[in-house]
């Protein structure tokens, strides 16, 4: 019996590295899988982790049909045992439904990875459908830490070090054009405190939003907007 499993957590909690590890582990046991992603920070058709691993993948677009992706390969006598789906928050809800059908009717395991909510704490449409349909939802074990020391549970967007609460839902990347952190995982209290317009500026102690506090290896492409 195949499963649809949604691995989720904030940005920077190790989802992509787990996606690549999962692919490695299953392929090492002779299983055949396909690695999918959409709008990875490092570029098109690649799954990249801040830990340094980068692996080619199939780029998902609005036109991608996961049912066809699997059936076409099987028609050509290629085995498909599992799918790894990274950045699933960017998938269309219909595509998540296709993934559920692939699990149920083609007996293909689907391991999906993505953030649940955006910088406004609202669900991404793809993640919402994943939460509704997944057999299991797993929170990542390596919990990102907020600058205040608590467990980070929310994704914040910053412009010039200031948290913003309005803007487009999708802005790919975690640094701006000047190399400064543009998204950062924070605790809910920190998010709420900074949400108030009067205190929206990061202050009082070291902030990971500042360029000199950016984590090593955070060499993402500066924000690319979509939709
Ligand atoms: N230089 C490093 N040394 C050890 N661990 C690192 C390093 N850089 C990043 N990491 C780990 O990698 C995690 C981010 O991995 P990544 O796969 O990019 O996460 P996600 O896909 O969730 O954004 C960080 O939370 C941290 O645990
Ligand atoms: C919060 C938030 C994030 N994004 C983008 C930024 C990154 O490209 C991805 C998350 O990638 P990661 O592998 O989990 O680090 O999502 C966005 O478009 N909108 C947002 O609100």
């Amino acid at each position: 019996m195949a499963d649809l499993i949604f691995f989720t957590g904030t940005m920077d909690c190790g989802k992509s590295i787990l996606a690549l590890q999962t692919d490695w582990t299953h392929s090492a046991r002779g299983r055949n899988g396909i690695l999918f992603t959409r709008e990875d920070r490092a570029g098109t058709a690649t799954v990249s982790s801040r830990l340094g691993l980068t692996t080619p993948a199939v780029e998902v677009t609005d036109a991608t049909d996961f049912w066809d992706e699997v059936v076409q390969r099987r028609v050509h006598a290629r085995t498909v045992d599992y799918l790894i789906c990274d950045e699933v928050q960017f998938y269309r809800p219909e595509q998540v439904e296709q993934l559920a059908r692939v699990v149920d009717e083609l007996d293909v395991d689907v391991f999906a990875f993505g953030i649940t909510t955006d910088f406004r704490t609202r669900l991404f449409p793809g993640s919402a459908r994943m939460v509704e349909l997944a057999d299991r939802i797993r929170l990542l074990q390596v919990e990102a830490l907020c600058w205040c020391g608590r467990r980070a549970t929310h994704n914040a967007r910053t412009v010039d070090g200031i948290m913003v609460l309005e803007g487009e839902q999708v802005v790919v990347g975690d640094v701006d054009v000047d190399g400064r952190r543009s998204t950062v995982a924070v605790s809910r209290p920190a998010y709420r405190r900074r949400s108030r317009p009067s205190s929206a500026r990061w202050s009082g102690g070291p902030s990971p939003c500042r360029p000199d506090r950016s984590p090593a290896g955070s060499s993402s492409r500066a924000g690319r907007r979509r939709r």
Side-chain angles (χ1 to χ4, degrees), residues 10-17 41 49-51 142 216:
T10 59
M11 289 182 66
D12 210 10
C13 74
K15 299 179 300 299
S16 295
I17 195 67
R41 296 182 316 276
S49 165
R50 292 174 184 82
L51 267 171
V142 179

Side-chain angles (χ1 to χ4, degrees), residues 29-119:
R29 292 286 170 268
R31 302 189 80 210
N32 292 305
I34 315 169
L35 195 50
F36 289 98
T37 191
R38 181 162 193 171
E39 309 233 28
D40 188 280
R41 296 182 316 276
T44 307
T46 188
V47 171
S48 72
S49 165
R50 292 174 184 82
L51 267 171
L53 266 186
T54 299
T55 302
V58 178
E59 182 76 13
V60 174
T61 67
D62 279 348
T64 301
D65 184 319
F66 288 102
W67 180 265
D68 287 349
E69 291 281 343
V70 175
V71 167
Q72 285 307 314
R73 284 171 174 81
R74 288 193 172 173
V75 162
H76 293 95
R78 287 180 57 189
T79 313
V80 180
D81 299 310
Y82 66 90
L83 308 183
I84 305 277
C85 297
D86 200 20
E87 307 290 352
V88 82
Q89 71 273 4
F90 296 147
Y91 295 13
R92 288 166 41 230
E94 300 77 27
Q95 292 172 324
V96 175
E97 288 161 19
Q98 292 158 11
L99 289 171
R101 187 174 171 219
V102 162
V103 171
D104 295 342
E105 298 182 30
L106 300 178
D107 202 28
V108 171
D109 282 311
V110 173
F111 306 103
F113 301 81
I115 55 176
T116 317
T117 53
D118 66 15
F119 71 105

Side-chain angles (χ1 to χ4, degrees), residues 158-160 171-182 211 220-225:
T158 58
V159 175
D160 296 332
V171 177
V172 174
D174 60 0
V175 292
D176 64 18
V177 284
D178 298 319
R180 288 174 297 201
R181 236 11 237 260
S182 57
S220 317
R221 296 205 304 193
R224 288 174 281 130
R225 289 178 168 72

Side-chain angles (χ1 to χ4, degrees), residues 121-137:
T121 72
R122 304 294 179 191
L123 289 164
F124 283 92
S127 306
R129 202 71 189 116
M130 194 53 85
V131 168
E132 289 160 350
L133 293 179
D135 294 299
R136 276 178 281 161
I137 301 171

